[in-house]
Amino acid sequence: MTEPPIDSYAFLSDTHTTALVGPDGAVEWFCVPHAEGDAVFARLLDRRMGGAFALSVAGCPTPVRRYLSDALVLESRYRAPTGTAVGQDFLAVRPGDPERPIRAEKLLVRRVTVERGTVRLAVRVQPRPGYGAETAEWTAVDGRWRARGVPLDVWSTLPLVDDGGALRGEIQLPEGTTATVLVGYGDRSGSPAPEELLDHTRRTWRDWSARSDYAGFGADAVRHSALVLRGLSFDETGALLAAATTSLPEEIGGMRNWDYRFTWHRDAALLLLALFRLGHAEEGRRYLRFLLDVCAAAGDTLAPLVGIHGATTDERELPHLSGYADSAPVRIANEAAEQVQFDTYGHVLDAAHAYQELTGELTADQWRMLCRHVDAMAYRWREPDHGVWEIRGPRRHYVNSKVMTWVCLDRGIRLADLLGDRGAPVRRWREARDALHAEVCDRGYDPELRTFVMAYGSRDLDASLLRIPVVGFLPGDDPRVVGTVDRIRERLGVEPGLVRRYVVDDGLPGEEGAFLLCCFELVSALALGGRRDEARRIFDRLRGYAGPLGLYPEQLAADGTALGNHPQAFTHLALIEAALNLDAGTDRDALHSWTERHAPDPHRRPTEPAFARPPAAGAG
């Protein structure tokens, strides 16, 4: 395989779109006019057809790279035979207002400054619109190059020429000089001021990061993961991209390639609590408003995912692209939006319950909408669905879906109590919740295997069941939970600390690697079961699986090869959850005092440590 490893790509964001930079300095992924849009740089998915923005220093094919502290600014150091230089790559941002503290300048900025001697710099800006299907046409106008038919402008301090759709230039730079190339993707009057963009961007990201006072277990990794999550959040709506990319393969050469540039509702409560816990309450509010607006617009069934603007489109394939490492097909949009996934309801109600406990700000209209969805689950909980893993086959009685339906009913009951709503059909909800709990413990648990199973009547395991103690369905030290954790490690384990999400025939050829979301959820499950030493060892091991820039993809092969879309929001979110659940064992008072500072009413204050939910009365 000649392609760079997936986890070697640097991630850039201005919270409106994203970019990935390869280890050789080429921007190989860049979508316009937003993160869900056309990838005009898509060499990531086809070395020949996909466009790219190459930047290189002669004699130094691979720079040494790092992120500047608490900022999505990539620094690259070049050591050439004739001199040394330092570069910065970033999507420029500026300070905003309290509601949207980060504003996109809609500029991709690439700078190189010579620190010693001289270096020869070469750039080649070659966008290919239509995900690589078209060639750009350029016009020189008003001191810039403007692309026809695609919203791109290029400014450069080194001379560029149009070379058949690519803007190309080379220059010899002496010590102390800087070359800058800017790619704009939005309407802009006048020329940007390159010298201010770096300072504004660094300060904006650092000011945002400084709002968090978390200094507990794994603090560096938590802060970095929070920064990645903010970069994957969409500025206009607060939606969270599952990942920046589409169709990076779950198996090299395979067809398990999906578009993750959408918002999944799973773990909505976890995202909300993470934002509030880490000092980013306004982002939490914006995400919750987006989530509830989507739910209000839904019909009888909630879609498991939506686009960053709240809509979905039909999935299709792009046959002109060969895929990363010849892993075809390349897909855009995601058919899973059409599935029925009852776990979605649990995540939405869990988020709404957490939000009300933290802020007391749910409106009457929002509560009426949520009541409608809780009531739907009180009637529909006996139905099968497609399950959290979106297996493209017939519906089944997936145990995780049943557990999260229980969460929906349980949080609806709790919300009615918090809001003092005596008119809500709580008796019906409680009867359904308790019947569902009993059924899951009966039909979803295999006493011979001593584990909960993937679906009723199955003997297959499912790593999503590691969340049973996290959502409060059963305590972490319940023997059935302990057995489930142990069986998952035994039968789904790849390496120590690495687990697959399942091993079943899901209707697709090939197999997956270890699912990193589930690996960090294993840490949380162990911690909540009192097995903190084991949890810490696995957490430390998982830290070592991060890419060279501290980024995680979706999966890892047994040999450590990164797989799946990148960077993966849920992996970073689960890392934060695991760290905070580990931290709760040594800093419980700090967590409680944080909750007290944010709860509007002491009687509504959550009492559980970190992100674990207490089991409902009578659970078990």
Side-chain angles (χ1 to χ4, degrees):
M1 188 177 77
T2 59
E3 286 79 4
I6 289 172
D7 59 357
S8 70
Y9 283 88
F11 168 65
L12 305 179
S13 172
D14 59 7
T15 74
H16 195 79
T17 194
T18 63
L20 295 185
V21 187
D24 64 352
V27 178
E28 297 190 10
W29 186 255
F30 181 54
C31 299
V32 298
H34 47 69
E36 205 179 277
D38 180 14
V40 293
F41 298 152
R43 195 168 83 180
L44 178 70
L45 297 177
D46 193 307
R47 310 302 290 175
R48 183 178 64 89
M49 293 293 293
F53 180 174
L55 183 151
S56 61
V57 169
C60 182
T62 306
V64 176
R65 306 184 303 163
R66 69 179 183 104
Y67 283 112
L68 298 185
S69 177
D70 292 328
L72 290 178
V73 176
L74 180 68
E75 180 186 84
S76 301
R77 293 204 163 268
Y78 300 88
R79 294 188 178 276
T82 58
T84 61
V86 61
Q88 295 92 25
D89 299 320
F90 54 96
L91 281 159
V93 295
R94 68 181 187 276
D97 52 44
E99 183 176 350
R100 288 170 59 181
I102 299 175
R103 294 280 181 169
E105 293 279 11
K106 298 188 177 180
L107 284 168
L108 173 63
V109 181
R110 312 204 70 187
R111 293 164 37 98
V112 175
T113 300
V114 181
E115 295 181 315
R116 180 183 60 81
T118 62
V119 302
R120 186 158 191 84
L121 178 69
V123 300
R124 183 180 181 86
V125 184
Q126 187 176 21
R128 290 185 58 85
Y131 290 90
E134 304 166 17
T135 301
E137 297 181 8
W138 296 98
T139 300
V141 56
D142 297 331
R144 75 184 82 176
W145 289 90
R146 170 159 289 176
R148 296 176 185 170
V150 59
L152 289 178
D153 291 298
V154 175
W155 295 262
S156 175
T157 60
L158 66 155
L160 301 176
V161 297
D162 184 356
D163 183 13
L167 299 179
R168 178 176 54 81
E170 291 191 33
I171 192 171
Q172 193 80 11
L173 292 175
E175 186 172 319
T177 58
T178 299
T180 304
V181 182
L182 311 175
V183 177
Y185 67 94
D187 294 333
R188 176 178 290 275
S189 58
S191 299
E195 63 278 3
E196 298 178 358
L197 295 172
L198 177 60
D199 288 341
H200 288 173
T201 299
R202 292 180 68 178
R203 184 167 65 252
T204 301
W205 282 118
R206 287 179 174 178
D207 288 349
W208 183 86
S209 296
R211 287 159 55 186
S212 174
D213 61 356
Y214 180 72
F217 183 84
D220 290 345
V222 167
R223 285 196 301 271
H224 188 58
S225 290
L227 191 66
V228 174
L229 292 174
R230 187 63 184 93
L232 289 169
S233 299
F234 185 52
D235 58 354
E236 291 184 3
T237 63
L240 178 73
L241 292 163
T245 58
T246 181
S247 299
L248 290 179
E250 297 170 4
E251 180 185 38
I252 299 299
M255 62 172 294
R256 297 169 180 264
N257 317 318
W258 318 107
D259 193 346
Y260 275 23
R261 295 172 299 159
F262 292 88
T263 292
W264 271 257
H265 301 320
R266 68 182 69 144
D267 294 329
L270 177 55
L271 174 61
L272 185 85
L273 282 167
L275 289 170
F276 272 91
R277 171 62 185 88
L278 299 177
H280 307 299
E282 190 52 48
E283 283 83 352
R285 287 184 171 90
R286 294 191 70 230
Y287 172 73
L288 195 282
R289 288 196 294 268
F290 169 79
L291 177 68
L292 295 186
D293 286 348
V294 167
C295 294
D300 294 335
T301 301
L302 293 178
L305 64 104
V306 294
I308 56 178
H309 294 95
T312 58
T313 56
D314 293 336
E315 179 180 295
R316 62 189 177 96
E317 297 180 3
L318 303 179
H320 64 278
L321 294 177
S322 62
Y324 175 88
D326 293 324
S327 305
V330 171
R331 297 179 173 94
I332 56 175
N334 199 304
E335 186 181 293
E338 301 173 10
Q339 290 191 343
V340 175
Q341 298 179 23
F342 289 152
D343 68 290
T344 300
Y345 294 81
H347 294 301
V348 170
L349 265 294
D350 202 13
H353 175 256
Y355 181 76
Q356 180 64 15
E357 284 192 313
L358 289 166
T359 71
E361 295 173 0
L362 277 181
T363 67
D365 286 343
Q366 289 170 337
W367 172 232
R368 279 192 292 270
M369 177 272 297
L370 290 168
C371 282
R372 175 166 58 90
H373 291 303
V374 178
D375 217 37
M377 287 297 96
Y379 286 106
R380 299 185 66 187
W381 65 267
R382 293 180 177 85
E383 298 178 19
D385 76 337
H386 290 102
V388 65
W389 301 131
E390 298 167 355
I391 294 173
R392 300 190 176 193
R395 302 184 194 182
R396 301 175 66 189
H397 291 283
Y398 289 102
V399 173
N400 176 75
S401 297
K402 303 296 185 184
V403 168
M404 292 310 299
T405 300
W406 176 90
V407 170
C408 170
L409 296 164
D410 179 72
R411 302 312 189 261
I413 294 165
R414 296 190 191 194
L415 270 171
D417 181 60
L418 279 176
L419 295 166
D421 184 357
R422 299 181 182 277
V426 171
R427 180 176 179 179
R428 180 166 64 244
W429 297 352
R430 184 175 290 111
E431 289 174 353
R433 180 196 66 178
D434 295 347
L436 176 53
H437 194 281
E439 181 181 279
V440 169
C441 291
D442 178 34
R443 299 181 63 191
Y445 182 77
D446 188 317
E448 181 180 337
L449 295 175
R450 301 194 309 281
T451 181
F452 285 95
V453 292
M454 173 176 268
Y456 291 173
S458 167
R459 291 174 66 87
D460 297 312
L461 298 188
D462 178 358
S464 70
L465 300 174
L466 292 167
R467 295 200 66 76
I468 283 176
V470 179
V471 300
F473 186 83
L474 287 172
D477 59 357
D478 184 287
R480 291 163 293 184
V481 174
V482 174
T484 300
V485 171
D486 289 342
R487 297 299 89 71
I488 286 172
R489 295 175 73 181
E490 292 168 7
R491 296 176 56 175
L492 299 183
V494 178
E495 293 286 336
L498 295 180
V499 295
R500 294 183 175 93
R501 51 180 171 173
Y502 55 75
V503 181
V504 297
D505 181 2
D506 58 9
L508 295 172
E511 63 179 26
E512 300 181 341
F515 207 78
L516 289 169
L517 163 68
C518 297
C519 299
F520 281 109
E521 288 181 339
L522 172 61
V523 173
S524 287
L526 288 168
L528 296 174
R531 300 157 73 178
R532 295 186 175 276
D533 290 342
E534 292 177 75
R536 285 174 181 266
R537 285 195 296 270
I538 292 175
F539 186 90
D540 290 342
R541 182 180 289 271
L542 293 174
R543 288 283 305 274
Y545 287 122
L549 293 165
L551 302 175
Y552 288 93
E554 181 183 39
Q555 302 181 26
L556 283 180
D559 64 359
T561 299
L563 301 169
N565 286 304
H566 175 78
Q568 178 73 214
F570 292 145
T571 305
H572 286 276
L573 195 53
L575 180 153
I576 294 173
E577 175 187 44
L580 294 180
N581 278 323
L582 282 169
D583 188 67
T586 57
D587 196 20
R588 181 167 179 160
D589 289 340
L591 284 168
H592 279 110
S593 65
W594 173 84
T595 305
E596 291 170 4
R597 291 198 302 271
H598 289 78
D601 183 328
H603 297 293
R604 299 180 181 180
R605 188 169 64 248
T607 58
E608 66 273 21
F611 291 103
R613 314 290 194 276

